[in-house]
């Protein structure tokens, strides 16, 4: 996991007052190679920001001593370009727009899946480092050319439908990390409502994709993680 | 001070009556006086006014009788109001089955008022019953995944196991959690639709485009299930609304259709102009909707007994609410027939 090792030095400031949520996030993000410090109140967050600027801020909006948006406002007033991901239980469009207007980079409505948060954190830190996304992604002997929309495995070309390609490219961009069904629903199928179940559709595409990628070979590339989602990886999790 | 309505009606009418008697007295006296002044100067005024005295005496004698009649009349007129108030009070106290008795009422405005109120009470009562059933069903449906999660967790920790076993158990619990989470999302979406603030976000979208998108998303699923998906669209129809919601409506209908269509069957989806409006339809070749369920399947958590095809029974409720938010209506076009046909009809503003 080269991605994780290069970001091991980047500290994440997590502003979240619910210890059950922050406990799991610290552990999960820690295991993914990030150094996380937690503050549970606005006051602590401000104090923490006085002493050092983190590489990324994960911000819960409903804090006991005020609205988390104040942290965001302060960062932006000071001209800090730290990426900020907002977490909140309020998910109305108005709230979302308001958060993004204040200069948030991303917005996750609770309940969110951990793989999703992890993917957002990786994406934000990548953009923060101005890293260009590669056109050609490689996972083991699988090669995905995102510009020409061509896929080869072990030198053999594989024909995919447009949606199958988008799905594979998405899995490959997150290779080595789990991808949840919510992420696929929104990012690959572009369905924003979580009230429509895309599970069966995702399953059908996944099985087609597997057949085309792994047909004849006994080496699995797409792994199903029960209760979590899927992961593209050379080795089983 | 509280005055009963029929007292007030009585007092008004009594005052009118007395005033009438007084005016009559003055008027007669004046006429008799003029008559005496101009023509009968030879008689005394008192003699000339005798008739007036007689009439007044008669009036005064009749007055109690008239007042009694007025009393009876006011009570009779005001009685229905009291009955209405009593019934409303009863319903307010939770006796939802009470209705105003209109049988003895004459066919007048008061009866019309009572009947209108009865209809409103009926509506209110059924809403209350629906709400009660809804919260009962919701808690039941939420309990099921919770029970599954709990059982899985309890069994998993009851004795030492391999890491692989723990992983499976946690995975199972997460899958149940997913189900629960999905249901909460559906309920949230329903309450968002109920809030009725979505009209501000209406933008015109192309009907054909939504149908095509929806069909495209579900095509692989149909193919996999051995179902033929036919899509027929009339191009160029613009609909004011929220495209994502319209898509969600059709997706829910398709999801439902696929669950009820056997292998080898056909699902037709499309949109066309209808009399002064537009009609979206999803027509499957499944077992169809029995007539007695044609209305109730759109209720939240409703299930047709004996046909378990998965789902909590919120998809069609969501679809119907989305149709209503757009000012249209979702209905089963062919209840009792083989192969259910759902139609979303939507009036369109006339093109100027």
């Amino acid at each position: 996991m080269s991605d994780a090792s290069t970001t091991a030095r980047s500290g994440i400031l997590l502003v979240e007052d619910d210890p059950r949520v922050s406990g799991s996030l610290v552990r999960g993000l820690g295991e993914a190679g990030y150094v996380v410090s937690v503050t549970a109140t606005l006051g602590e967050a401000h104090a923490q920001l006085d002493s050092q600027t983190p590489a990324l801020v994960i911000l819960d909006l409903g804090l006991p001593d005020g609205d988390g948006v104040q942290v965001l406002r302060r960062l932006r007033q000071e001209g800090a370009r730290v990426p900020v991901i907002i977490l909140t239980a309020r998910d109305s469009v108005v709230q979302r727009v308001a958060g993004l207007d204040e200069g948030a980079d991303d917005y996750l409505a609770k309940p969110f899946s951990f793989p999703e948060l992890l993917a957002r954190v990786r994406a934000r830190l990548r953009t923060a480092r101005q890293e260009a996304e590669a056109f050609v992604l490689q996972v083991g002997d699988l090669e995905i050319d995102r510009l020409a929309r061509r896929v080869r495995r072990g030198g053999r070309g594989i024909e995919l439908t447009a949606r199958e390609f988008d799905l594979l490219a998405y899995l490959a961009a997150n290779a080595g990390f789990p991808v949840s069904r919510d992420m696929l629903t929104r990012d690959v199928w572009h369905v924003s409502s979580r009230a429509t179940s895309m599970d069966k559709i995702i399953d059908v595409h996944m099985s087609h994709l597997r057949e085309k990628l792994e047909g004849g070979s006994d080496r699995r590339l797409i792994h199903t993680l029960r209760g979590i989602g899927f992961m593209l990886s050379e080795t089983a999790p | 001070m509280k005055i009963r309505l029929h007292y007030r009606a009585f007092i008004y009418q009594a005052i009118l009556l007395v005033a009438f008697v007084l005016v009559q007295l003055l008027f007669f006296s004046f006429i008799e006086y003029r008559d005496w002044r101009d023509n009968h100067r030879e008689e005394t005024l008192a003699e000339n006014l005798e008739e007036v005295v007689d009439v007044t005496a008669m009036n005064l004698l009749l007055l109690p009788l008239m007042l009694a009649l007025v009393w009876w009349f006011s009570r009779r007129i005001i009685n229905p109001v009291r009955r209405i108030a009593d019934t409303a009070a009863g319903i307010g106290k939770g006796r939802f089955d009470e209705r105003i008795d209109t049988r003895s009422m004459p066919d007048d405005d008061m009866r019309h008022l009572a009947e209108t109120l009865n209809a409103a009470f009926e509506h209110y009562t059924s809403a209350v019953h629906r709400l009660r059933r809804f919260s009962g069903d919701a808690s039941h449906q939420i309990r099921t995944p919770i029970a599954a999660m709990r059982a899985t967790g309890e069994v998993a920790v009851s004795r030492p196991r391999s890491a692989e076993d723990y992983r499976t158990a946690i995975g199972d619990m997460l899958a149940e959690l997913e189900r629960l989470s999905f249901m909460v999302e559906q309920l949230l979406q329903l309450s968002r639709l109920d809030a009725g603030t979505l009209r501000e976000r209406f933008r015109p979208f192309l009907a054909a485009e939504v149908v095509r998108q929806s069909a495209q998303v579900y095509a692989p699923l149909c193919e996999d299930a051995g179902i033929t998906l036919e899509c027929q669209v009339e191009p160029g129809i613009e609909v004011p609304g929220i495209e994502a919601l319209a898509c969600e409506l059709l997706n829910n209908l398709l999801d439902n259709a696929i669950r009820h269509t056997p292998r080898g069957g056909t699902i037709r989806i499309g949109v066309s102009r209808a009399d002064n409006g537009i009609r979206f339809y999803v027509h499957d070749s499944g077992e169809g909707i029995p007539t007695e369920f044609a209305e109730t399947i759109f209720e939240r958590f409703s299930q047709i007994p004996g046909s378990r095809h998965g789902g909590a029974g919120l998809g069609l409720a969501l679809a119907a609410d989305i149709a209503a938010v757009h000012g249209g209506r979702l209905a089963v076009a062919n209840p009792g027939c083989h192969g259910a046909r759902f139609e979303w009809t939507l009036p369109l503003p006339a093109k100027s």
Side-chain angles (χ1 to χ4, degrees), chain A residues 7-216:
Chain A
T7 50
R9 275 161 283 116
S10 15
I12 293 176
L13 175 63
L14 171 63
V15 188
E16 163 68 69
D17 62 313
D18 187 338
R20 286 165 303 182
V21 176
S22 60
S24 319
L25 292 188
V26 168
R27 192 163 165 189
L29 289 167
E31 282 171 3
Y34 299 101
V35 178
V36 187
S37 51
V38 187
T39 63
T41 60
L42 263 186
E44 282 176 49
H46 283 306
Q48 184 93 18
L49 287 170
D50 283 337
S51 59
Q52 65 178 106
T53 307
L56 182 129
V57 178
I58 301 173
L59 187 62
D60 180 39
L61 289 189
L63 294 171
D65 54 343
D67 195 334
V69 163
Q70 292 179 34
V71 174
L72 176 59
R73 215 169 279 157
R74 177 192 148 165
L75 276 172
R76 294 304 178 240
Q77 272 165 6
E78 288 170 0
R81 293 199 32 227
V82 185
V84 176
I85 299 175
I86 287 180
L87 301 181
T88 178
R90 314 175 225 163
D91 72 338
S92 76
V93 177
V94 181
Q95 295 283 354
R96 197 181 197 104
V97 171
L100 295 176
D101 272 353
E102 293 285 349
D105 298 85
D106 219 332
Y107 194 105
L108 267 179
K110 288 181 185 172
F112 54 87
S113 65
F114 182 71
E116 173 140 37
L117 177 66
L118 197 55
R120 304 279 182 106
V121 167
R122 282 202 317 275
R124 287 302 144 199
L125 287 175
R126 220 165 24 223
T127 2
R129 294 202 312 268
Q130 305 286 313
E131 217 174 66
E133 290 195 16
F135 287 131
V136 180
L137 299 170
Q138 204 138 16
V139 180
D141 58 351
L142 184 68
E143 204 179 277
I144 300 146
D145 186 335
R146 289 202 280 191
L147 205 57
R149 297 179 71 84
R150 266 201 301 264
V151 178
R152 300 169 77 81
R153 185 169 190 202
R156 176 178 62 97
I158 296 170
E159 286 292 315
L160 296 180
T161 66
R163 187 87 70 183
E164 285 164 0
F165 182 85
D166 291 342
L167 179 57
L168 180 62
Y170 191 80
L171 286 170
N174 293 285
F177 293 96
V179 166
S180 72
R181 289 170 185 275
D182 275 355
M183 292 161 80
L184 295 176
T185 302
R186 201 194 40 248
D187 296 337
V188 177
W189 272 269
H190 308 291
V191 171
S192 54
S193 166
R194 294 204 276 189
T196 311
S197 172
M198 305 293 284
D199 288 3
K200 275 176 287 174
I201 293 169
I202 292 172
D203 287 340
V204 165
H205 279 86
M206 236 14 127
S207 78
H208 288 175
L209 196 54
R210 272 197 178 121
E211 230 164 82
K212 290 180 181 179
L213 291 184
E214 300 162 358

Side-chain angles (χ1 to χ4, degrees), chain A residues 91-93 110-111 113 162-163 180-182 189 191-201 204-205 207-208 225-228 237, chain B residues 167-168 170-172 174-175 178 181-182 185-186 188-189 192 201 213 216-218 220-221 223-224 244 248 251-252 255 258-259 318:
Chain A
D91 72 338
S92 76
V93 177
K110 288 181 185 172
S113 65
R163 187 87 70 183
S180 72
R181 289 170 185 275
D182 275 355
W189 272 269
V191 171
S192 54
S193 166
R194 294 204 276 189
T196 311
S197 172
M198 305 293 284
D199 288 3
K200 275 176 287 174
I201 293 169
V204 165
H205 279 86
S207 78
H208 288 175
L225 310 172
R226 178 145 175 77
I228 300 174
Chain B
R167 191 191 281 249
T168 310
I170 295 171
D172 287 348
L174 286 175
E178 188 87 347
S181 179
F182 174 61
E185 288 301 330
Q186 284 189 311
L188 263 176
Q189 179 77 322
R192 273 194 289 258
R201 288 171 47 208
Q213 271 179 36
Q216 204 198 357
V217 165
Y218 278 84
L221 194 54
E223 199 182 312
D224 209 63
E248 194 172 334
N251 287 352
N252 273 303
D255 184 78
I258 291 171
R259 273 190 281 130
L318 259 175

Side-chain angles (χ1 to χ4, degrees), chain B residues 110-132:
Chain B
M110 203 57 96
R111 181 175 188 153
H112 179 67
L113 173 68
E115 283 168 350
T116 313
L117 283 172
N118 271 346
F121 292 151
E122 198 67 53
H123 195 75
Y124 172 64
T125 307
S126 79
V128 168
H129 286 320
R130 257 206 318 277
L131 199 65
R132 280 185 184 165

Side-chain angles (χ1 to χ4, degrees), chain B residues 96-115:
Chain B
F96 292 118
D97 295 328
E98 277 190 28
R99 292 292 176 269
I100 305 158
D101 186 5
T102 56
R103 281 168 307 181
S104 57
M105 289 188 189
D107 193 7
D108 60 6
D109 292 355
M110 203 57 96
R111 181 175 188 153
H112 179 67
L113 173 68
E115 283 168 350

